[in-house]
Amino acid sequence: NQPVQSGYVKALKYDWENDKVITIDSNRINYNGYYSLKKCPRDSLDIMAYSDDEYQDFVPTYHDTTIYWQYSNTIYPESNQDSINIKVHRLINEDNGSNFISGGVFKALMIPNDALKDAVLYAKYNGEFRRFDISIANGYYIVDSLPGGTCELIADRIGYYSDYKTLQVGQLVLDTINFFLTRVTGYI
C-alpha cells in the first residue's frame, strides 16, 4: 500500500501476425507513484509496470495486479483516462544468496527452436517473489542472487502459455534450465 517511486510503465500491444511484443508508449514512474502515457492509440493495450532492474522493489506486473498477461485487464482507451492503477508484486530482498538460474526461452514445436525475447522469468520462494530477469534476443536469461532452497521459476511472455519449474537451488548447477513455450492460437 505504498507508492512505487521508480521504474517505468509501458503500454504494450501483441502483434499476432509477426509474433512480436510492441511497445506503444513508455514513461517513467514519478516519485509519488504516478505515471502518464500520452501516445496511446484507440486500440486494445496491456499496461505493465517494470522495475529499473531486478534489484529494485517489484517484479514486472500487468494492470491490475498480475504477472500473467492472460489475466491482465486490457485497456481500450477511447479518450483520456486516469486512475489506471497498477498494484505491483513486491520483491523480498532479505536473505538473498549467491546462487543463480540461467538458460533460455524458446518457441515450442519449432525446428530449430526459435528464441523468445521479452519473456519474464520470475523466481518465487514460498509464494514470495525474490528476483526476475527478462530474456534477450537469443532467449538467454539469468536470475541471480538467489538463496538456496526450493524455488518456483515461472516463464511468461505475451502470446504464449506460461510455464514453470520447481527447482532445488544451491544443490545443483542450474545453468541450462530451458523453457519451451507454446504459442496461444485462435486469440485475436
Side-chain angles (χ1 to χ4, degrees), residues 11-128:
L12 304 172
K13 180 77 178 165
Y14 183 65
D15 178 352
W16 288 93
E17 251 182 65
N18 298 306
D19 191 24
K20 294 185 188 278
V21 178
I22 301 167
T23 300
I24 302 296
D25 197 3
S26 178
N27 207 346
R28 302 268 328 146
I29 297 171
N30 295 326
Y31 70 93
N32 58 5
Y34 290 96
Y35 69 92
S36 178
L37 300 173
K38 298 184 181 196
K39 301 174 190 167
C40 294
R42 293 182 179 191
D43 198 355
S44 60
L45 301 169
D46 289 303
I47 307 295
M48 192 172 198
Y50 290 83
S51 285
D52 289 326
D53 64 44
E54 68 264 28
Y55 300 103
Q56 293 292 322
D57 296 331
F58 64 97
V59 298
T61 309
Y62 288 98
H63 168 68
D64 171 46
T65 182
T66 183
I67 63 168
Y68 300 105
W69 69 273
Q70 300 97 326
Y71 303 124
S72 67
N73 291 329
T74 302
I75 304 295
Y76 302 92
E78 291 295 324
S79 62
N80 292 338
Q81 296 185 2
D82 60 8
S83 300
I84 305 297
N85 298 327
I86 304 169
K87 298 173 189 163
V88 298
H89 294 279
R90 297 254 182 212
L91 282 172
I92 303 301
N93 286 316
E94 54 196 48
D95 300 326
N96 290 318
S98 60
N99 299 298
F100 70 91
I101 303 170
S102 66
V105 183
F106 305 96
K107 296 177 186 178
L109 309 175
M110 301 296 289
I111 299 175
N113 292 56
D114 290 340
L116 277 173
K117 180 181 185 282
D118 297 323
V120 183
L121 290 295
Y122 302 90
K124 286 177 78 173
Y125 288 75
N126 298 317
E128 297 178 330

Side-chain angles (χ1 to χ4, degrees), residues 138-164:
N138 65 1
Y140 183 75
Y141 73 89
I142 182 167
V143 183
D144 59 5
S145 300
L146 295 172
T150 303
C151 172
E152 180 181 26
L153 188 63
I154 302 164
D156 186 70
R157 184 185 183 274
I158 292 179
Y160 289 79
Y161 292 106
S162 301
D163 195 9
Y164 75 94

